[in-house]
Amino acid sequence: MTRPDDHVIVLFGATGDLARRKLLPGLFHLARAGLLPEHYRIVGSAPARFALSDDAFRRHAHDAVAAFGLAEPAGDAWQAFEASLSFGAADPEAPGPLLAKVKAAEEALGGRARRLFHLAVPPAAFASVIRLLGDTRLAEDSRVIVEKPFGTDLASARALNETVHAVFDESRVFRIDHFLGKESVDNVLALRFANGLFEPIWNRDHISHVQIDVPETLGLEGRAHFYEETGAFRDMIVTHLIQVLGIVAMEPPVSLGAQRLRDEKAKVFEALCPIDPAHAVRGQYEGYRDEPGVAADSQTETFAALRLELDNWRWAGVPFHLRTGKRLAQHREMIVLGLREPPLRMFPSALPGAAERANGIVIDFADPGQVTARFLVKEPGPTMRLAPAAMAFRYEDSFRLAHGLEGYERLILDAMLGDQSLFTRSDGIERIWEVSGPLLTSPPPVQPYAPGSWGPEPAVTELAAPYHWHLPDDRG
Ligand code: BG6
């Protein structure tokens, strides 16, 4: 495995939630696994009002790794990692402390290191940080990771792309979607394109419907301000679920190189039909408006379910059902491909709908991940009675998972290596906002749902009709 060139990594939003939960623990995991560059420095940054001393930042990182990391922040590995950390505050009109720390870090690495900026800041701050990087010339020859959501509609995404491109050309922009770094999402590419078993049936002739389903049990987790302005559609559907759809629905790329892979995903997004508000359900869990930081009359959706259609040769007429929401009954990350029902006339006792429930391929992409083929078999006994059965591949049974990387870790490593394959491109993201236009302009009203339920009924069930939401209890 190639190790990245020496790097100075600058983490904007270093005192924030994402850095604490994912980025600092992830960077330490990469360091322990020997996947960070041989020589690196990590400079934390935030506006001056959140400034930390280097020591305080090291303690902050220690606590983050202790709380959310896979390995204890101790021993030689921790000492080496800790020694790489420093902190430099930056505001648009006062970038001095950051500049000084970046310069010191570069000097410590002999002046030859690459720069990678990670913008783990609220979306409203993306543009000002990008401008700061341009004005201070820190951007020169550097790469930038931009967090989501990238814009809130087509106009804002275009404006943000313009701001970014004024400072970084597209080859240096890494719009991150951590779902695309998940092992089991990437495994969809292997499953489809490395086997003779799946790809021949991966089309409208054999597949009747597709579900991409990410219910969460989590609530707001202290993010009311972000969530009120974002909602489930922008936070999860545009950002993560439609990206997963891109991987599930794409044509085989000629290679896995960034351009080919992203070209194929872009074609999927081109083929997406504009989202019909009549094919969307927006929900809000009961009690959401009482959460601290939430408006008493909030119309923000904490649940979104959609029916999407692709107008292309592979998928015309196959509904793609997407669903996600907060405070639902279970936390799952599933892709379900429902196979067309075979004629069951020769099995007189078959229950109506048995074939729909049993015929399918289920990809559970929550780490560590599982792929299950579901089918009907003959129940043992004197009569020809059918019963559901499954063949399952479980990552944890088949591989040592110690080498597995969490989505963010994999993607930060790819960004250091300059590999954009699993990052979203400007044309793709703009197209997704474009097809979202009708829904954003005329959103259906939010419908209440009980926490711990599956969202607003009967609307959600009706949306998937004549199919059903698959959620097998056996994780298959
Ligand atoms: C984030 C969303 O991008 O993804 C969160 O902002 C969501 O609202 C999270 O909970 C889910 O990702 P994961 O990988 O932690 O399940």
Side-chain angles (χ1 to χ4, degrees):
M1 158 107 220
T2 333
R3 250 178 136 168
D5 298 336
D6 292 349
H7 261 81
V8 173
I9 302 166
V10 180
L11 198 54
F12 287 95
T15 54
D17 192 56
L18 181 63
R20 199 164 65 89
R21 284 173 185 270
K22 302 263 189 185
L23 306 182
L24 290 165
L27 285 164
F28 179 53
H29 185 220
L30 286 174
R32 267 180 58 100
L35 294 170
L36 280 191
E38 201 176 337
H39 307 287
Y40 65 90
R41 291 287 183 278
I42 298 169
V43 182
S45 190
R49 63 184 188 283
F50 301 118
L52 297 178
S53 66
D54 290 349
D55 278 343
F57 182 48
R58 289 179 183 138
R59 283 196 299 278
H60 177 75
H62 177 279
D63 295 349
V65 174
F68 299 103
L70 294 174
E72 281 292 297
D76 293 348
W78 174 254
Q79 276 175 14
F81 182 78
E82 189 181 49
S84 79
L85 301 174
S86 62
F87 192 94
D91 286 292
E93 58 294 345
L98 174 65
L99 291 175
K101 290 299 171 66
V102 170
K103 188 154 176 267
E106 287 181 340
E107 281 169 8
L109 299 184
R112 287 181 314 278
R114 282 183 177 278
R115 267 178 242 136
L116 174 67
F117 300 102
H118 192 139
L119 271 54
V121 297
F126 290 158
S128 71
V129 178
I130 295 279
R131 281 192 211 103
L132 178 146
L133 295 175
D135 294 347
T136 55
R137 305 183 64 181
L138 280 173
E140 280 175 17
D141 297 326
S142 310
R143 297 178 178 135
V144 65
I145 298 179
V146 186
E147 275 296 332
K148 43 111 254 192
F150 195 89
T152 52
D153 57 14
L154 179 57
S156 58
R158 277 189 181 145
L160 185 53
N161 272 327
E162 269 174 33
T163 306
V164 170
H165 289 152
V167 178
F168 293 92
D169 61 63
E170 184 67 21
S171 69
R172 296 188 287 129
V173 183
F174 294 75
R175 293 176 198 78
I176 198 163
D177 178 340
H178 73 284
F179 273 45
L180 295 183
K182 289 181 186 247
E183 289 282 2
S184 300
V185 173
D186 299 342
N187 187 42
V188 173
L189 295 173
L191 196 71
R192 289 187 56 189
F193 302 133
N195 298 296
L197 183 59
F198 300 104
E199 190 54 24
I201 58 162
W202 209 273
N203 55 52
R204 63 197 296 262
D205 295 336
H206 301 278
I207 291 176
S208 58
H209 63 290
V210 178
Q211 278 176 26
I212 301 174
D213 199 9
V214 185
E216 296 187 285
T217 48
L218 286 179
L220 290 188
E221 308 296 304
R223 300 194 305 160
H225 179 65
F226 164 81
Y227 204 81
E228 267 287 88
E229 291 186 353
T230 311
F233 179 72
R234 292 182 171 96
D235 183 39
M236 293 291 285
I237 302 260
V238 169
T239 307
H240 300 312
L241 275 67
I242 297 186
Q243 291 297 331
V244 174
L245 181 151
I247 302 253
V248 171
M250 69 162 68
E251 294 299 315
V254 184
S255 78
L256 292 180
Q259 169 151 0
R260 304 284 181 238
L261 194 72
R262 299 198 303 174
D263 282 350
E264 292 306 335
K265 255 175 57 194
K267 285 188 210 161
V268 173
F269 302 147
E270 271 309 310
L272 271 176
C273 302
I275 301 173
D276 181 347
H279 294 165
V281 176
R282 294 169 70 242
Q284 189 185 72
Y285 66 78
E286 286 157 6
Y288 174 74
R289 292 176 186 178
D290 303 328
E291 302 264 13
V294 171
D297 58 352
S298 171
Q299 297 299 316
T300 300
E301 79 284 352
T302 60
F303 173 100
L306 301 176
R307 180 154 97 226
L308 296 184
E309 278 159 35
L310 287 167
D311 194 13
N312 65 15
W313 282 88
R314 187 183 283 263
W315 296 115
V318 178
F320 281 71
H321 298 133
L322 274 49
R323 172 171 72 172
T324 187
K326 300 287 185 198
R327 309 268 330 250
L328 294 177
Q330 289 181 27
H331 180 195
R332 305 295 285 269
E333 301 182 5
M334 316 269 289
I335 302 163
V336 180
L337 296 117
L339 296 173
R340 292 206 182 280
E341 285 200 28
L344 288 179
R345 207 182 144 79
M346 72 178 95
F347 302 104
S349 58
L351 297 170
E356 186 212 322
R357 283 193 293 280
N359 260 276
I361 299 165
V362 181
I363 300 167
D364 181 340
F365 64 93
D367 285 338
Q370 169 168 334
V371 181
T372 309
R374 298 175 66 81
F375 48 87
L376 291 168
V377 294
K378 177 188 170 299
E379 202 177 81
T383 54
M384 195 56 175
R385 274 233 321 247
L386 297 178
M391 284 193 300
F393 154 72
R394 289 185 191 84
Y395 262 98
E396 61 193 344
D397 296 346
S398 307
F399 293 99
R400 284 182 55 212
L401 297 172
H403 299 303
L405 295 181
E406 203 259 341
Y408 266 108
E409 298 167 4
R410 162 76 197 273
L411 293 172
I412 292 171
L413 179 60
D414 281 358
M416 281 190 276
L417 292 166
D419 183 350
Q420 293 179 301
S421 307
L422 298 175
F423 293 84
T424 55
R425 206 166 62 184
S426 54
D427 54 346
I429 197 84
E430 287 183 14
R431 174 64 186 164
I432 295 173
W433 284 122
E434 188 181 1
V435 298
S436 304
L439 179 63
L440 296 176
T441 321
S442 318
V446 286
Q447 302 186 37
Y449 62 93
S453 72
W454 286 107
E457 293 292 358
V460 191
T461 301
E462 281 164 10
L463 183 78
Y467 306 107
H468 300 89
W469 294 97
H470 295 241
L471 209 66
D473 283 332
D474 61 1
R475 285 219 156 241

